[in-house]
Each structure stands twice: as C-alpha cells, then as structure tokens.
Amino acid sequence: MTLRAMVLATSAILAWPQMALAQDSTTDEAEPQGSVIIVTAQRQSQSLQEVPIAVSAFDATALESQQIENAADLQLTLPNVSFSKGNFTGSSFTIRGIGDLCVGVTCDAATAIHINGSPLFGTRLFETEYFDLERIEVLRGPQGTLFGRNATSGVVNLVTAKPDLGSFGAAGEFEYGNYNSIKAEGMVNVPIGDSIGVRVAGFFLNRDGYTTNLFDNSDVDDRDMYAVRGSLRFEPGADTTLDFMAYYFREDDTRLRNQKQACQRDPLGVLGCLNNRRDFDITNANSTVGATLSSQEFFAIQGIPSVLGLGSLYGPDAFAGFDKPDDVRTVNTAYTPFYFADEVQLQARLEQRIGAMTLTATGLYQDTEVDSRQDYFLGIQDRTGFATALNVLSGFAANGLPTGLPAPAPAFVPGSSAYFTPIVEALIPNGPGGVLCTSDNDDGNRGAFEGNVLCGETPLSFDRSSEQRESWSGEILLSSDFDGAFNFLLGGIYAKSKTTDNSYYVNSFALDYASAILGSFGTLAGGAPPSYFATSMYRNNSLEANLESFGVFGEIYVDLTERLTFTGGLRYNDDKKDVTARTTLISFLNPYANDGEPFDSPITPLTGPSGLFDADPGTPGEQLTQFREVGFDEITGRAVLDYEVTPDNSIYASYARGYKSGGINPPLSPVFDVAESFGSETIDAFEIGSKNTFANGALQLNATAFYYKYSGLQLSRIVARTSVNDTIDADIWGVELESVIRPDPDWLVNLTFSYLNAEVAGDQFFSNPRDPGGGDPDAVIIKDISNGANCAVTGPAPGAADAFVAGVNAALGLRGPEEFPNDGNLASSGAFSICDVLAGAVPAGSGLAVLSPGVEVNIKGNKLPQAPEMKVSMGVQYTATFDNGMTLVPRVDVALTGEQYGNIFNGRVNRIEPFVQANAIVQLNSADERWFVRGFVQNIFDSSSVTGLYLTDASSGNFTNIYTLDPRRYGVALGFSF
C-alpha cells in the first residue's frame, strides 16, 4: 500500500466492526441510542462493551445486512482477521497473524471454532452458509481459561437461535441471483405447552459454476448443498434449562478445492516454475516425478531400453503446447472436479441455577466426512510424445522382449510377453492410439492393474483429499454471581477425536506407466512372476489418528474497588495423540495376477532385507505401517485489570499465556530428513484496550494495542508430495480501532482500522523450495530424476560445483548444468541428476556438498503468511421511513485488505496484492415487518482478489495454488416472518 493510501485510509477510520446492526431505527428517549449486544465471551451473558476482551459480535440482523453468509465474508469486516481456503480440504482463519498454517491429521486449530460454546473438530462449517443464528462472536487473542480447548489466535463461536417457548413463529426467504443461483431458508418455531419449545431451520443452495471449463464448455465450481437444524428447549422449572440440538449438512457438487494455479514456467524443467512471478502459465511437466520416472534417461540408467521412455527430460514436455487461460474463472481440464462433504452435530446442554451459582454441562457429538477430487495440474497434456513408447510396448506385449541375437537363437525372450501384456491391457486396452487409462483412487489402493481405472483421450493427472472423523466432547462449568466483590468460574473438558482413512492421493498415467515398466523389467530379470511396483498411485494414508485431550481451568473476578476489577485465570492442558500411517509410491512388488488389495501381494515379505517395503525404516524391524504417539501438557493462564473510568468508558490491560499442542509428521516416500514430530506453540500476549460509548450511545469507540511473543509457530510445507510441519519463533504487534457512529436514528456508520506487524524472530534457517540454491551463484540446483525431488550442490570455489556435476552426469548419460532465464530470480545453475549418486561421488575433503532439499537461508525478519499489514472497512446504512410505515434501508460496505504474503519466504513471487471488496444492499420492509423485498450485489467491482497461496513441492513442479474471493454476485430476495 502506498503512503498516500495509508494516510487517506487512516484519516477515514476510527473502527469497530458491524456488531451494532441490530439497532432499531427508532429509539426511546430514556434509552441510549443503539441496542445493547449481549455476548458470552466470558461464559456468561454480558454487554459487549463491558467485556475486557477484544471481541466482535454480529447478531442475525447484522449478518443479513452485511451480507455475511460464510467465513469468507466474515473476514471483510473484522480488524486483523483474514480467511483463506487451504491446499487440501481445510481452511485457515487467521487472527492477528496467527492462523491454521499447520496442515496434517494431528494438527490442532490455532483459531478454535465453537458451536454454542463447544469445540468442533475438522468441521465443515467454513464451507456452509450461515442460517438461523442468534449471533457470531469472534474473540481475538489466545483463549484457554474460558473456552474448551486451547486456541492461540482466538475463537469463533457460533450461537444458534434457540426455541421460543412463548409463541408460534415462522420465517422464510427465497433468493434468486446470477449464475442461476437459487437459495432458500426457513424456520418454524412451535411451543409445546408452557415448558417445551421446538425450532426447525434449514437452508438449500443450488447454483451454476463460477468457472468455465474450456475442455467441454461446461461450468464447474458450482454449489449443491443443504443443511437442517432441529432444536428443542425444555424448562421444567424456573432454574433449569435443557437444550438439545441436532444438525446435518451435506454438499455434493463440483467445487474446486484449488481455484487456479500460477507459474512462471521454467524452460529447463529442473524446478518447473521459476522464482520471480506468478504468471498464468503451467509448470514444465519434465520437473514432475511422473515424467522423471518414465523418462528415457531414467530408464536407460536402470538398464531398460530408452525407447520405452514416454519422453526425454531434454525434449518438449507434455505441457509444452498448452496455453493456460489467463482468467481465474476459466480452466481447461479433462477431469471434472468432485466434492462431497457432510457433517452431523448432536449437542445437549443443561443449565442449572443453584442460588447465586450456575452449573452448566454440555456434550457434543460430531461426525464429519469430506472427499475432494480434481485435476492435479488443471491442464491438458499432449500425448504425441508417448507414441513411440506405446507402440514399442504393444510390440513387446504381442511378441516378447527382443533378444537381439542372430538366428538360430530365438528372436524374443521366451515367455517375456507375459510381463508386458498386463500393462497394455490395463493402460492402453484399445491399442497405442486408443484411450489412455489411469488408476482411479476411489477404492483404497486398487488401481489400473486391479481393474480400477479412468480412461480418456488425453493422459490424466488428478488428486484426491479425503477424511472421515468422529469426535465428542463433554464440558462442565460452575460459575458464581455473588453480590460481593468476589466471583469465580471453574470448568473442565474432556474431548476425543478419531480420524479414519485420512488420505491424500496423486494419480497420473505416467506414474502407472513407470510403476509397470520398472516392475516388469525388474521381475523379468529376477525370474519373479510378472509384477508392477505398488502402489502405482501416490498415497499418504493415515489409517487411524486419535486425539485424547482434557483440561481443567478457572477464573476469579475480584472487584478491587468500585471501578477496578482483577481477573485471574489458570488452565492445565493434557493432550495425547497417536497416528498409524504409511506413504506409498512404487514401493513394493505386486503381481499383475493379484486383482485385490496390493498389500495382499503373494510376494513376501513385503518388508525386510529385500528392501521392497518398510513403512517405518526409522524403527528396528519391518512394519507395514508406522505408529507414532506423542503427549503434551502445559499450564497457561491470563491476568486482566479492568478500570471503569465512567459507566460508559473503560480501559483494560491483560497478559495471557496461550498454547497449542504439537503433533506428528507423516511418513515420507522417499525418506527425507524431516523431524517425526513437531512441538507445541506457546505465546505470551500483552494487550491494552479501551471501550467507550459517547453521546448517549450515538458513538461507540474501542481501541486495542497488542504485542505477542511467539515460540514454536507451526508452519506447513510440502516435502515429497506430503505436508510436513516445522516451527519458528515470531514477534507480532498491532493496533485495532473500531467504531459505530449513529448521528441520528436513521443513520448508521461502521468503521474499522487495523495495523499488523508479524515477523519471524531470531535466526531461522530453511531451504526455499522455489530456490534450492539459496541465491548462491556457484551452486547447482539438481532435479533428482529418481524421485522428482530437488537438492543443491555447493562447492569451495566458483565453477567447482558445475564441473563436479558435469563429470558425474557424463557417466550417467545426462547433460551438465545450464543457466536459468535471467528473469527467473535464480542465481544458481540447474541440472537433472540423482542426488544420492552425486553425494556418493563427492571426494573426501573436496569442499563439495550435496544438500537436500537445498541451501538453507535465514528468514529472520520475514513477514508471516496471511497477515495483512493493514485492513480498513466502512459501512454506511440509512433507514427511510414512509408515511405508511414501510421502510427502505440501503447499505454500502467497502473493505480494503492490505499487502500480505502467502509464503514465509516472502519475495515478489509470494506477495498478495491489496484488494478492495465492495457490497451493496437495499431492502424494503413492510410496516408490520412481516415481509421484505431485497436487492443485493456482492463484489461490486468483480475483482478476482487473491486471499491465499499454497506452494506445491518439487516433485509436482513448484506451481502455486491460489485462492480467491467469489466473483460478482447479484440478485433479489423475498422474505416473510410471523
């Protein structure tokens, strides 16, 4: 953001998000202007302005008028809050620079998502639509002594509307918009006698896709989802309330998990994508593991006829002639995306008042499932270069392997055709010019050679991310409301979460082909039955992961004087995690004759000295799975001094110690030097704030300043197609200003401003996957053709590394190093080779080194990802009242999100530009408020604003997945209530 823009934005802002929008357009003179928003941020009902915590709340009216329909909308009006989808099927809700940057089945959420105060695990709430809510509360800063499990960044608590025991009621809304969007919401409230009430609500959304697929001129990234919630309230007496809630959500459509891919194409193919820009181009396919393993060069090194290679690493790659569409809403893919998700929530809550105390017990059961599949590269591969290899393969299948011997010796190796016929039958069943078949990934490990295939005219590459999870938690709270100076809250929570079949797959024709050719030649040479190397698809599979967590916590509230209050809280945390997992790709031999589960291969042992497969090479013995367990415990707490300057003005200062447990990294294939586990996050958070109401409620003005000392921030990166997590330290500070201005009953203005500085603290050394050479002009970046990974060779003097690599490569039949393009922001040269061979050839004392995955660089001072430096938002609403009592309410909201980075290495290639989102709405209400007509537009400027990035790994070609806000939407809605 320019200095001029910052000055203009700052001069426009005194901020507080839209949490007072439930205010009536008329007020009683005895009442302050504006309604009082009641929140439960401290686990008791309090006025928002009384709570000494940075908390924002949106009631049902605010959600509607702000057009806050989901988590992506929620970020636009909150200071120091950002939201983006993740690379797999998750998301990151970032508060004050701290978000869900840890990716994996054992990761805890930095931002805890709660429903009616109960924590959720792996919830799909971020992709559903909000409906029939009482309010949403967003607490900024570490939480542990109030809410269930720990959260280092904050808490988002969704409070559902409860049954009204006093009267029958119903409401409905029907909306139609562009993209042929149809949305319906409804609610029915039925009292049963004087003590029971039932409320049923739901929504349905169906719309066409936002994205055009040029391959078949279809629309993808559509939505087809619904949810229903039933609630029951039972009040057997004045002091007892029982609430029951059942919720079900389902989605089944073509949602794109990754909206678009960006790449500055690398002509060498060593990296796939260069390090300077995010162009709308596609990676060099020669950099991918499928291409390296099926290349003429790698086959030749393995003693396999090079003519069977699908292409040369030095020739045109499969994407050489592909033109990626420049529009983020246009793709060209032969694989139609698939997205399925569902979630069940069952909650029971007892609130029992016992004199001046209240006992609350809450239990929640949750069952979630998600399954997402899409084109891995979002591109069309050219099969032209495969023709020679496929023709030769067909010849081998028909006749056998040529002996090359003169007569009278046999022309073909007797019986050898049996080693190639299964490949032809599985991958090219209609011959070399027919369809190409690829392993499907919808049946465990069974793929093309077990008869589970997808076929097409072009080579297919696609991935899949899926998970099933079952969780439950129980929490009990005892709080007091004494008349004296002392009060307290005591609580305890126990939670269990079990994840089954958390899997990430990558499938491609090239991987199937390589696994078969390598397996057939290997078993033919060894006299074993015709076999391929399983699994022919990449699969990172957590067969089971368990979390068991409990915590005890409490707070005391002491009125030191009539105006000064002290809050002190402590918490003890205990978290235990275990995971049973394995990662496979071309890992063990499985006969073509075995059409069942590959791990039932009759070639035994799969593990052991044969080196065929060991899921846990770091542990003595041989295992088909890796089992790891870890435990963490921590004492955390907070202290707050809150001073009431006047009944409408207060200041507070707080210190909080936050904690988030560590976890377990998955096994890798191939094995890299990555820590098996990662440690806990801890944060020391200091905050001062002031909450103020002026002019009889006409102005609310709140200000907050904070400083965080962060230790062990968990960050994810991709290694060998697998997400692993590291930890770093960080310093974070910022300010937040929030205001609601009501100059008269008809006008409402909401303003927010926030500034954030979130940086890596201390010396932290990591290898940048975009530049494994670390900026060293004398290093050589290597593409390892045996596994698709990168490493770097460094030397003691200029030219030493280049000469060494050239010498080793000459013996392998590979070319020496070449320079990257001048605009690639890469100082090093690059070459194809094999890192282990290079490492084994380094002379002792030479000063040469082979570094995997590359040269480490210091990221001290770099900005944390998804931490916008500045955010500004403004909303203006006016209520015009007609003589007949009807009202017309127009509203405009504009939000500016400043510069941020999508990757910890920063730089131009990782920069996310500032963006503006503008929405408008106008609603006509009947005099008795029984019906309304609404017109709306979201994203007025139709900007393709990027909210997040995710960099893939070397074996995928280092392309970047980008995530964007929705395009411009507009439409009309009709609604009623009685």
Side-chain angles (χ1 to χ4, degrees):
M1 177 182 293
T2 65
L3 178 61
R4 181 175 182 272
M6 291 177 63
V7 171
L8 290 174
T10 305
S11 65
I13 297 304
L14 293 170
W16 168 294
Q18 294 79 342
M19 59 189 179
L21 290 180
Q23 303 167 96
D24 297 328
S25 60
T26 59
T27 58
D28 191 306
E29 291 185 0
E31 297 285 338
Q33 290 190 34
S35 63
V36 176
I37 303 296
I38 302 299
V39 297
T40 53
Q42 295 194 130
R43 305 309 288 266
Q44 56 182 317
S45 296
Q46 293 174 285
S47 165
L48 188 71
Q49 290 296 90
E50 295 176 354
V51 180
I53 297 174
V55 55
S56 304
F58 301 81
D59 65 11
T61 304
L63 293 170
E64 182 176 279
S65 61
Q66 300 290 315
Q67 302 189 65
I68 300 173
E69 299 176 344
N70 49 47
D73 297 331
L74 192 62
Q75 68 170 323
L76 298 173
T77 54
L78 288 169
N80 281 328
V81 171
S82 61
F83 174 86
S84 182
K85 293 190 296 183
N87 192 57
F88 301 98
T89 53
S91 63
S92 180
F93 204 111
T94 303
I95 301 177
R96 293 177 173 174
I98 306 300
D100 297 320
L101 304 176
C102 177
V103 177
V105 69
T106 63
C107 290
D108 290 343
T111 303
I113 309 299
H114 287 67
I115 188 78
N116 297 323
S118 294
L120 296 173
F121 301 85
T123 182
R124 313 318 303 173
L125 279 179
F126 70 88
E127 57 199 9
T128 185
E129 302 280 305
Y130 297 147
F131 69 99
D132 200 39
L133 296 179
E134 180 181 318
R135 65 183 179 277
I136 297 177
E137 303 169 349
V138 181
L139 286 72
R140 301 187 295 278
Q143 311 294 327
T145 59
L146 290 170
F147 279 86
R149 297 197 71 229
N150 281 282
T152 45
S153 69
V155 168
V156 178
N157 183 34
L158 281 71
V159 181
T160 62
K162 306 301 189 297
D164 180 357
L165 277 59
S167 61
F168 174 84
E173 181 177 327
F174 178 83
E175 174 188 298
Y176 181 79
N178 59 332
Y179 297 99
N180 200 31
S181 174
I182 298 173
K183 182 178 178 181
E185 295 184 23
M187 178 279 295
V188 176
N189 185 92
V190 181
I192 304 174
D194 295 329
S195 60
I196 298 177
V198 175
R199 188 182 186 101
V200 178
F203 89 92
F204 168 79
L205 173 63
N206 183 278
R207 66 161 172 78
D208 294 341
Y210 287 152
T211 302
T212 299
N213 181 10
L214 298 180
F215 182 78
D216 56 8
N217 202 32
S218 64
D219 291 327
V220 297
D221 202 21
D222 65 343
R223 296 292 185 272
D224 189 354
M225 61 172 68
Y226 68 88
V228 62
R229 182 190 303 120
S231 304
L232 184 147
R233 169 163 285 188
F234 176 42
E235 294 184 352
D239 295 327
T240 306
T241 301
L242 276 165
D243 283 307
F244 300 92
M245 186 268 289
Y247 166 86
Y248 179 69
F249 164 74
R250 181 183 177 92
E251 176 179 359
D252 189 351
D253 49 39
T254 64
R255 180 197 290 261
L256 279 166
R257 188 176 69 251
N258 301 316
Q259 174 66 45
K260 191 78 173 182
Q261 294 172 355
C263 173
Q264 180 189 2
R265 186 175 166 85
D266 168 22
L268 297 186
V270 172
L271 285 172
C273 299
L274 300 175
N275 187 41
N276 192 34
R277 304 186 304 270
R278 295 195 310 272
D279 296 338
F280 282 124
D281 210 335
I282 197 161
T283 189
N284 188 319
N286 287 342
S287 67
T288 66
V289 66
T292 63
L293 291 179
S294 63
S295 67
Q296 297 170 8
E297 289 77 13
F298 184 67
F299 281 177
I301 291 171
Q302 299 300 309
I304 298 171
S306 62
V307 70
L308 281 171
L310 292 180
S312 169
L313 297 172
Y314 304 107
D317 68 290
F319 289 130
F322 179 74
D323 182 19
K324 182 183 282 289
D326 291 344
D327 180 20
V328 297
R329 305 294 174 192
T330 306
V331 297
N332 192 347
T333 169
Y335 187 90
T336 301
F338 167 83
Y339 199 96
F340 174 83
D342 73 351
E343 180 168 359
V344 173
Q345 297 172 10
L346 302 174
Q347 186 179 48
R349 184 176 186 272
L350 166 67
E351 183 177 296
Q352 179 66 51
R353 287 174 289 279
I354 308 169
M357 295 187 295
T358 301
L359 178 69
T360 305
T362 308
L364 177 73
Y365 170 81
Q366 184 187 3
D367 190 344
T368 64
E369 179 180 356
V370 63
D371 189 350
S372 171
R373 308 173 208 177
Q374 72 175 65
D375 189 327
Y376 192 70
F377 297 105
L378 288 177
I380 305 295
Q381 298 183 56
D382 184 0
R383 62 180 290 172
T384 304
F386 297 0
T388 299
L390 298 182
N391 282 319
V392 172
L393 174 63
S394 294
F396 285 3
N399 303 300
L401 184 66
T403 63
L405 300 174
F412 302 96
V413 176
S416 61
S417 64
Y419 288 80
F420 303 101
T421 301
I423 308 175
V424 169
E425 292 176 343
L427 302 185
I428 48 173
N430 299 330
V435 294
L436 304 179
C437 298
T438 302
S439 292
D440 203 351
N441 52 26
D442 61 352
D443 191 8
N445 298 301
R446 296 178 70 252
F449 307 113
E450 292 77 40
N452 188 29
V453 297
L454 284 176
C455 302
E457 295 296 328
T458 65
L460 296 177
S461 296
F462 49 92
D463 68 351
R464 178 188 181 194
S465 183
S466 62
E467 178 183 275
Q468 294 181 342
R469 184 192 292 255
E470 190 175 27
S471 311
W472 68 270
S473 65
E475 183 181 56
I476 188 166
L477 295 171
L478 180 65
S479 61
S480 70
D481 188 18
F482 302 138
D483 293 334
F486 175 83
N487 278 285
F488 70 88
L489 177 147
L490 292 175
I493 185 171
Y494 179 80
K496 292 190 72 173
S497 182
K498 179 178 181 178
T499 302
T500 56
D501 194 25
N502 176 287
S503 289
Y504 180 67
Y505 302 79
V506 179
N507 296 62
S508 76
F509 177 81
L511 288 178
D512 283 321
Y513 184 85
S515 72
I517 296 297
L518 294 170
S520 286
F521 273 92
T523 50
L524 176 60
S531 304
Y532 73 96
F533 272 108
T535 56
S536 60
M537 67 192 87
Y538 169 80
R539 186 182 186 189
N540 173 244
N541 178 210
S542 295
L543 288 79
E544 182 177 318
N546 293 286
L547 163 70
E548 184 176 21
S549 173
F550 75 86
V552 290
F553 52 92
E555 290 198 339
I556 59 171
Y557 312 98
V558 182
D559 294 333
L560 301 178
T561 70
E562 288 186 355
R563 295 187 175 185
L564 182 63
T565 300
F566 169 77
T567 300
L570 283 175
R571 178 188 179 101
Y572 173 74
N573 315 271
D574 188 280
D575 297 287
K576 291 182 173 61
K577 301 178 179 181
D578 66 68
V579 62
T580 302
R582 63 185 171 211
T583 299
T584 55
L585 173 64
I586 311 182
S587 302
F588 58 90
L589 289 171
N590 182 39
Y592 296 109
N594 175 29
D595 61 358
E597 165 62 44
F599 278 93
D600 293 332
S601 169
I603 298 180
T604 57
L606 293 180
T607 60
S610 65
L612 294 177
F613 183 66
D614 185 357
D616 190 3
T619 300
E622 299 83 32
Q623 298 84 23
L624 293 181
T625 59
Q626 181 191 88
F627 176 79
R628 293 289 184 271
E629 56 183 343
V630 292
F632 306 92
D633 59 9
E634 189 80 19
I635 294 176
T636 60
R638 73 172 184 138
V640 185
L641 283 174
D642 179 24
Y643 181 70
E644 182 184 275
V645 181
T646 74
D648 294 326
N649 308 91
S650 64
I651 57 174
Y652 67 89
S654 70
Y655 163 77
R657 174 80 166 176
Y659 154 84
K660 179 163 79 82
S661 64
I664 304 165
N665 280 322
L668 302 180
S669 177
V671 176
F672 282 85
D673 185 17
V674 171
E676 290 187 347
S677 62
F678 51 93
S680 301
E681 293 183 356
T682 56
I683 176 175
D684 292 302
F686 303 87
E687 182 174 317
I688 58 174
S690 175
K691 296 193 172 185
N692 306 276
T693 302
F694 301 103
N696 197 34
L699 171 64
Q700 289 179 349
L701 174 60
N702 297 347
T704 309
F706 57 90
Y707 172 75
Y708 290 172
K709 191 71 176 176
Y710 217 103
S711 176
L713 175 65
Q714 298 161 1
L715 291 173
S716 170
R717 60 188 168 109
I718 297 290
V719 178
R721 300 159 298 279
T722 306
S723 183
V724 299
N725 297 285
D726 307 298
T727 57
I728 64 169
D729 298 334
D731 290 337
I732 303 171
W733 63 271
V735 294
E736 298 161 352
L737 299 173
E738 311 169 282
S739 67
V740 177
I741 306 169
R742 190 124 199 188
D744 67 51
D746 294 331
W747 285 93
L748 177 65
V749 180
N750 305 97
L751 299 169
T752 73
F753 169 82
S754 61
Y755 175 82
L756 181 67
N757 187 81
E759 295 183 348
V760 177
D763 294 324
Q764 312 271 332
F765 292 90
F766 292 95
S767 172
N768 182 355
R770 295 189 190 273
D771 182 9
D776 182 356
D778 299 322
V780 181
I781 299 171
I782 300 297
K783 166 61 63 174
D784 191 327
I785 66 174
S786 70
N787 55 37
N790 285 131
C791 64
V793 180
T794 60
D802 289 78
F804 168 72
V805 172
V808 174
N809 274 10
L812 293 173
L814 300 173
R815 297 179 185 176
E818 299 179 64
E819 298 299 322
F820 291 98
N822 292 332
D823 66 344
N825 193 26
L826 294 160
S828 309
S829 58
F832 292 98
S833 192
I834 299 177
C835 297
D836 285 345
V837 174
L838 291 169
V842 172
S846 65
L848 293 163
V850 179
L851 305 175
S852 292
V855 178
E856 293 187 338
V857 295
N858 195 348
I859 61 172
K860 179 181 179 180
N862 283 12
K863 300 292 185 181
L864 297 185
Q866 279 184 238
E869 184 178 66
M870 180 179 291
K871 291 193 68 180
V872 180
S873 68
M874 179 176 183
V876 179
Q877 178 177 315
Y878 176 73
T879 301
T881 304
F882 302 113
D883 293 340
N884 61 3
M886 297 176 68
T887 58
L888 184 69
V889 185
R891 181 181 177 92
V892 176
D893 289 278
V894 180
L896 167 66
T897 299
E899 179 183 84
Q900 57 183 309
Y901 290 93
N903 186 286
I904 194 66
F905 292 99
N906 294 179
R908 178 182 173 185
V909 71
N910 294 312
R911 178 178 179 265
I912 299 176
E913 295 182 355
F915 62 88
V916 173
Q917 178 84 345
N919 301 330
I921 189 172
V922 59
Q923 182 165 312
L924 178 67
N925 303 295
S926 67
D928 58 3
E929 296 188 349
R930 293 294 183 91
W931 58 265
F932 67 83
V933 180
R934 178 193 308 138
F936 67 90
V937 57
Q938 293 181 326
N939 192 359
I940 294 173
F941 306 122
D942 197 24
S943 60
S944 300
S945 305
V946 175
T947 61
L949 309 176
Y950 201 96
L951 174 64
T952 56
D953 86 320
S955 67
S956 302
N958 280 322
F959 61 83
T960 300
N961 289 320
I962 67 172
Y963 310 99
T964 66
L965 293 175
D966 290 345
R968 180 166 53 220
R969 292 183 58 245
Y970 53 86
V972 295
L974 306 174
F976 70 89
S977 63
F978 59 85

